[in-house]
Amino acid sequence: GSYRSSHCMRIAIASMDSRGGVQPYVGLALGLKAAGHDVRLIAPSGFEGMLADTGVEHVPLSGDVEAGARRLGSSAHGSPLKGMRAAAREMEHWTAIHTREAYEGCLGQDLVLGGIGGMAVALSAAEKAGVPFLEAHLQPVGVSTDRYQGALFGSTPRFLGGPGRRLSHRLTELGIWMPIGGGMKRARREVLGLPGSPKAHLANPVLYGFS
């Protein structure tokens, strides 16, 4: 059964993704709730049914992620460059809106968690709200290591050894953030009024989900 900890925290989990990328964070929210914490999920609208009767508060983000992905796929038909430009415009537009909404969801919390999608909309929002942010990933990203190759690399040449595997992690980070980094920086500056790049989270632990 669940119990209420004497060290109860107010925790927000941010996930800007389709169902497959949100559902694991619902599981995390339920685990934290069972441990006695107050938990809210900052996620796209449309997940009310998934959260029904869980006791997890839903802070909805505007728009329909899956419909947007289908729309961008249609716009890219026959013209990849056109699709990339359309995707960049769409991402910047929604990142600004979602960053503002995520900021409201971060207010009054003790901690904010999120993976790549969550970081895109809530990393700077948490900083603006004065709340620590912990990376919570479903993939092996966020930390460079020489034990295995980066998530976007099936393999690295064996002769490169550990340094090559570390480099593959850095290149993976570039590949992940390149499409969304511009929108994040603009929202950070124009929506939240924050200078520079977020750095406070880099000293924090990273949480990984294993299956």
Side-chain angles (χ1 to χ4, degrees):
S2 63
Y3 66 92
R4 188 169 185 81
S5 169
S6 59
H7 301 288
C8 172
M9 296 179 68
R10 294 165 297 183
I11 302 174
I13 302 174
S15 178
M16 187 58 205
D17 208 332
S18 58
R19 183 184 181 94
V22 172
Q23 193 161 349
Y25 292 105
V26 175
L28 175 60
L30 292 174
L32 290 170
K33 188 174 183 300
H37 301 292
D38 291 329
V39 190
R40 62 174 49 168
L41 183 69
I42 303 172
S45 59
F47 289 104
E48 291 85 354
M50 186 188 295
L51 294 173
D53 303 322
T54 64
V56 175
E57 178 187 357
H58 181 204
V59 179
L61 300 175
S62 302
D64 185 326
V65 175
E66 294 180 345
R70 290 193 296 270
R71 185 166 59 252
L72 291 174
S74 297
S75 70
H77 183 67
S79 177
L81 183 58
K82 178 182 176 182
M84 290 172 63
R85 288 172 176 167
R89 289 194 299 270
E90 183 109 354
M91 280 185 181
E92 286 212 9
H93 169 75
W94 285 110
T95 299
I97 294 171
H98 294 151
T99 297
R100 186 178 298 107
E101 294 171 340
Y103 169 67
E104 296 292 331
C106 291
L107 291 173
Q109 302 301 291
D110 299 310
L111 180 67
V112 181
L113 306 174
I116 299 298
M119 293 173 74
V121 299
L123 179 58
S124 292
E127 180 183 335
K128 179 71 173 181
V131 183
F133 188 101
L134 292 187
E135 296 181 52
H137 295 298
L138 306 177
Q139 301 85 17
V141 297
V143 175
S144 180
T145 178
D146 60 8
R147 299 293 298 275
Y148 52 85
Q149 63 272 5
L152 297 184
F153 290 79
S155 63
T156 53
R158 294 186 64 179
F159 70 86
L160 293 177
R165 289 189 288 273
R166 282 192 177 275
L167 177 61
S168 74
H169 283 277
R170 296 191 182 96
L171 294 176
T172 291
E173 292 288 314
L174 286 173
I176 289 172
W177 292 113
M178 191 175 295
I180 58 179
M184 286 179 64
K185 290 177 182 177
R186 177 169 291 183
R188 177 179 173 85
R189 181 178 66 251
E190 298 180 359
V191 175
L192 302 173
L194 293 175
S197 301
K199 293 184 174 63
H201 69 290
L202 297 176
N204 294 336
V206 179
L207 178 66
Y208 291 99
F210 290 85
S211 169

